[in-house]
Amino acid sequence: MRNWNRDALLRTSVLAGFVAAGALSAPAFAQTTDTELATGQADRITVTGTRIVRQDYVADSPIVTVTGEDIAARADITLDTFLNTLPQVNPAGTTTSNNPGNNGQSNVNLRGFGANRNLVLIDGRRTMPSTSTLVVDLNTIPTALISRMEVITGGAGAVYGADALSGAVNVILRDDFEGVDFRINYENSTEFWDAEAYSAALTVGGNFANNRGNAVISYERSVREGMIKAQRDFAAQATATTTFFPEGWVSFGTANSPDWDVVRGIFEGYGYSPAEVAASIPDFQALSFNLDGTLIGTGAFNDPNRNVLNWNYPVDGNVAQAFFPDFYSYNFDLVNILTLPMERDSFMARAHYDLDNGVRVFGHASYTQYSSTQALAATPIPTVGGRHPTDPLLTGQQFTSELIVPGQLVSNLLIVPADHPFIPSDLAVILASRTGDDPRLVGSGADEPFLMRQRTLDIGLRTNDFTNTVTNFLVGMSGPIAGTWEWNLYLSQGRTQIDVIQSGNVDTQRLQTLLEAPDGGDSICSGGFDPFGRQPMSAECIDYLEVATANQTIFTQDIAQFYVTGDMFEMPAGTVSVVLGAEYRGFDFSFDPGSASGPISGFNAQLPNAGQNSFEDLFGEALIPLIRDMPFIQSLDMTLGYRYSRSEFESGITGATGGSNDSA
């Protein structure tokens, strides 16, 4: 389905501010050449956060400047590691973040508003984003070419657009480089000598045509070794709970619960006193299973009297020992990734040339490809809902079962027939004591199916292997008009492709088919599926259940921007300067989920998606001097900013999601 909505978004952004030198001004470097900064010859400059050319280094909003030398001294292989040390930056999701995952990307999050609420610029111009939310991945910027980074927090929306709500990070690259620069960085954990990371970068450039032009190329390769949480004691234990156990988990609701005296009698038969059992096994107790088929009372997180009862497994890394023996929960953090592995290759070439008439022609081309892996604990099953096969509300993300009453939804639970051949004898006694009726399930009493959860350890971790490829091309010109007036034009085109290979997902429909088979699934795959306890699964059943998927996201961006800037007229306190410009941005997005669009447990099930957005903006700025050289006020200026934006979008199929990315 495709929907057109012309003029869907009319945005107006206004910026107004007063700057008094010595009291409210903030010094900032300018978007000028490195040579001009070094020699002090930049008499008319542009400060980050505005396009007005002025004769001072005063900015209307606070700016923090980080030099390329500062970045090199840290020896970090990703820029977010350094930026996250700044007080303006909230280190929410980083290139090392596994859960919640960040696809190995290096993003910056100003003031905690989210990485999609600030803008990353290169030399004051937009660059190619790496997500459908238009977030720029800092991995795509070769660190060896960085002259400095200027971080402005606030007041940038009217200048750069609404996506600069919380500010902007302006990465200013070296444009007068001459010579050869080769650098190698290496770092590791000095305590354990692991988590190694290294990078090597080669930059070659020089001036030409009697210093009227400069060209430079830079290549960088970075590698980081991954590390799992088990390698660090502080991270090896989960601090959250889960009801998806490798041992299986059964919880009876009030609709068709067993006779709890029967349940308690079984635990007394294990050798526990009636008082111990009464305290630990009240009505509606969740039950789990030992390998010999005996039952486990799992305790309760919020009740000190309800302890784990009849646990026969080792208390090892699979047990969340922060809660045991008061409460049993699976330790899903043990095998999760603490630091994501990464390999990255990035290349950039840039050049500029000054014509005889004062016009500067400039451009750059960049290519970055990097890979990373995200891993979560073994798949909790199921993480999708189920319906009857004839249910008109059935979606492609739900499994089907004739054991479900038409019109009913069973969420995140497997349906097990009451006559399943692998049911342990003690559980069979409990099931036979039921006399109620769950309206969601076919049958009633002892013959009604029951609901449970499991976690498939034999299938292994859920992994996402990402490969991101980002390209960007930019050409532009700038030059004088008359007097102080100048014009600027640039065109940019970029493309991002994200390929993801997922493993460890489970086909929930096939899993339910095994459960409903009269022989427990043995006729479908060797041994079938036994959900009661940590029962081994045959290689044939693993192949039958596991879903290895490949999905792909592709999006492109086209930008055209033109503006003029100059002085309008004189006032007693100085010259009024203005900027007038227009900008076009076009964005095209498509997502192909591959085979992950079905009833998959594990990573989120998704539908194909596609869409196009375009933005047409008009913007303007004005700098109005109000006071100069007065008592207590050296200077007082007023700055005004205005942006009008019209958008047009075409949407494809909206991707519905089901399941959970949570490692729990």
Side-chain angles (χ1 to χ4, degrees):
M1 183 177 69
R2 307 177 77 85
N3 296 314
W4 279 94
N5 189 343
R6 295 185 177 274
D7 301 287
L9 177 63
L10 298 178
R11 288 200 309 265
T12 300
S13 300
V14 179
L15 167 69
F18 293 88
V19 177
L24 301 176
S25 61
F29 288 99
Q31 299 169 31
T32 55
T33 66
D34 300 327
T35 301
E36 289 174 322
L37 286 174
T39 61
Q41 296 176 352
D43 57 343
R44 290 181 58 81
I45 59 175
T46 303
V47 178
T48 295
T50 180
R51 293 188 178 90
I52 292 177
V53 180
R54 55 198 301 173
Q55 293 183 335
D56 53 44
Y57 291 94
V58 175
D60 301 327
S61 299
I63 294 180
V64 173
T65 299
V66 178
T67 67
E69 289 76 14
D70 294 333
I71 298 170
R74 287 276 306 222
D76 296 317
I77 67 169
T78 57
L79 290 174
D80 64 308
T81 308
F82 181 85
L83 289 174
N84 285 340
T85 65
L86 301 178
Q88 297 88 348
V89 179
N90 184 340
T94 70
T95 182
T96 63
S97 182
N98 180 60
N99 186 23
N102 201 40
N103 300 2
Q105 295 189 23
S106 173
N107 304 139
V108 59
N109 179 5
L110 296 181
R111 295 185 175 181
F113 282 88
N116 61 329
R117 291 295 183 263
N118 53 250
L119 194 59
V120 175
L121 308 168
I122 294 182
D123 294 330
R125 306 179 187 96
R126 290 174 176 266
T127 188
M128 185 62 197
S130 294
T131 72
S132 58
T133 56
L134 303 184
V135 174
V136 172
D137 182 5
L138 298 176
N139 282 327
T140 60
I141 305 173
T143 56
L145 275 180
I146 296 176
S147 171
R148 63 192 179 279
M149 300 176 67
E150 297 175 359
V151 181
I152 179 172
T153 51
V159 178
Y160 299 121
D163 40 359
L165 174 69
S166 62
V169 177
N170 190 11
V171 183
I172 299 172
L173 303 181
R174 306 167 72 174
D175 66 352
D176 57 357
F177 179 85
E178 286 191 280
V180 178
D181 182 322
F182 179 71
R183 58 183 70 179
I184 297 177
N185 292 327
Y186 173 81
E187 61 182 9
N188 62 32
S189 166
T190 55
E191 182 179 359
F192 298 96
W193 290 90
D194 57 7
E196 294 181 318
Y198 67 85
S199 65
L202 175 64
T203 304
V204 180
N207 295 328
F208 60 91
N210 295 322
N211 296 328
R212 293 168 60 181
N214 181 271
V216 61
I217 58 174
S218 182
Y219 169 76
E220 182 173 338
R221 176 166 176 78
S222 301
V223 176
R224 180 178 59 227
E225 178 186 28
M227 179 171 60
I228 65 173
K229 291 187 174 183
Q231 294 176 250
R232 294 294 186 270
D233 290 340
F234 72 85
Q237 283 292 322
T239 57
T241 62
T242 176
T243 54
F244 291 92
F245 305 157
E247 300 79 22
W249 177 90
V250 175
S251 182
F252 299 98
T254 58
N256 191 16
S257 62
D259 184 333
W260 286 97
D261 287 335
V262 173
V263 177
R264 285 185 281 270
I266 288 176
F267 277 88
E268 290 175 13
Y270 298 152
Y272 295 96
S273 69
E276 289 178 301
V277 174
S280 297
I281 313 293
D283 293 2
F284 316 120
Q285 166 73 54
L287 302 175
S288 190
F289 306 93
N290 290 303
L291 276 173
D292 60 4
T294 58
L295 302 177
I296 301 171
T298 58
F301 179 74
N302 58 355
D303 188 343
N305 295 316
R306 290 176 59 184
N307 298 324
V308 176
L309 212 62
N310 200 43
W311 176 266
N312 292 339
Y313 295 95
V315 182
D316 54 16
N318 289 312
V319 178
Q321 296 175 33
F323 312 109
F324 196 88
D326 298 326
F327 178 76
Y328 171 64
S329 182
Y330 171 63
N331 180 26
F332 50 79
D333 262 353
L334 186 70
V335 291
N336 274 359
I337 294 180
L338 182 61
T339 299
L340 268 63
M342 185 189 72
E343 292 190 23
R344 181 184 72 221
D345 294 279
S346 59
F347 170 84
M348 178 176 282
R350 53 190 272 113
H352 71 262
Y353 181 74
D354 295 327
L355 303 176
D356 293 336
N357 57 3
V359 173
R360 167 167 287 196
V361 181
F362 56 88
H364 75 243
S366 64
Y367 170 89
T368 302
Q369 185 175 81
Y370 60 95
S371 59
S372 184
T373 297
Q374 175 194 9
L376 301 178
T379 296
I381 51 174
T383 56
V384 293
R387 292 186 183 274
H388 191 275
T390 63
D391 197 323
L393 298 177
L394 179 67
T395 71
Q397 283 70 54
Q398 296 169 346
F399 69 92
T400 63
S401 172
E402 294 189 353
L403 301 178
I404 302 175
V405 174
Q408 297 291 325
L409 171 67
V410 177
S411 297
N412 301 334
L413 290 164
L414 297 170
I415 299 97
V416 185
D419 59 351
H420 192 281
F422 296 145
I423 292 176
S425 58
D426 289 345
L427 178 61
V429 172
I430 292 173
L431 295 173
S433 71
R434 297 178 299 161
T435 58
D437 183 12
D438 187 333
R440 297 172 296 175
L441 303 175
V442 174
S444 63
D447 296 328
E448 187 177 79
F450 62 98
L451 305 173
M452 70 177 299
R453 290 174 174 172
Q454 235 269 1
R455 189 181 288 265
T456 53
L457 292 184
D458 286 349
I459 292 180
L461 299 180
R462 290 167 287 165
T463 61
N464 272 326
D465 293 319
F466 298 92
T467 300
N468 291 36
T469 305
V470 184
T471 57
N472 192 50
F473 301 93
L474 181 146
V475 294
M477 302 175 68
S478 64
I481 299 176
T484 62
W485 286 86
E486 302 174 358
W487 59 273
N488 289 265
L489 168 69
Y490 82 89
L491 306 173
S492 175
Q493 185 177 73
R495 183 180 188 273
T496 295
Q497 178 173 317
I498 304 174
D499 295 293
V500 183
I501 297 177
Q502 294 181 340
S503 61
N505 287 333
V506 174
D507 188 319
T508 314
Q509 187 62 62
R510 289 188 171 187
L511 183 70
Q512 186 63 37
T513 299
L514 291 181
L515 286 174
E516 295 183 22
D519 59 357
D522 183 58
S523 58
I524 300 174
C525 61
S526 177
F529 175 59
D530 184 349
F532 306 105
R534 300 181 192 173
Q535 305 293 347
M537 188 183 301
S538 70
E540 186 180 359
C541 284
I542 291 174
D543 290 341
Y544 177 73
L545 291 176
E546 184 180 11
V547 180
T549 66
N551 62 63
Q552 185 178 81
T553 304
I554 297 176
F555 41 93
T556 60
Q557 176 179 263
D558 298 301
I559 299 176
Q561 184 189 96
F562 176 81
Y563 70 90
V564 295
T565 178
D567 298 337
M568 291 286 292
F569 54 85
E570 292 290 329
M571 291 182 63
T575 305
V576 175
S577 302
V578 299
V579 170
L580 297 172
E583 183 177 78
Y584 168 83
R585 303 190 305 277
F587 187 77
D588 186 274
F589 166 82
S590 65
F591 171 69
D592 179 4
S595 57
S597 59
I600 304 301
S601 289
F603 289 111
N604 283 357
Q606 300 176 76
L607 288 174
N609 203 358
Q612 295 177 337
N613 266 30
S614 63
F615 299 86
E616 299 169 355
D617 293 5
L618 299 175
F619 58 86
E621 294 181 70
L623 170 64
I624 305 174
L626 301 178
I627 299 176
R628 285 292 185 274
D629 301 324
M630 295 289 288
F632 306 108
I633 301 178
Q634 180 182 346
S635 64
L636 178 64
D637 298 334
M638 179 173 67
T639 59
L640 301 174
Y642 177 85
R643 176 176 287 264
Y644 170 86
S645 182
R646 185 181 70 176
S647 71
E648 183 178 283
F649 70 88
E650 177 186 359
S651 62
I653 301 173
T654 301
T657 61
S660 174
N661 258 346
D662 189 358
S663 63

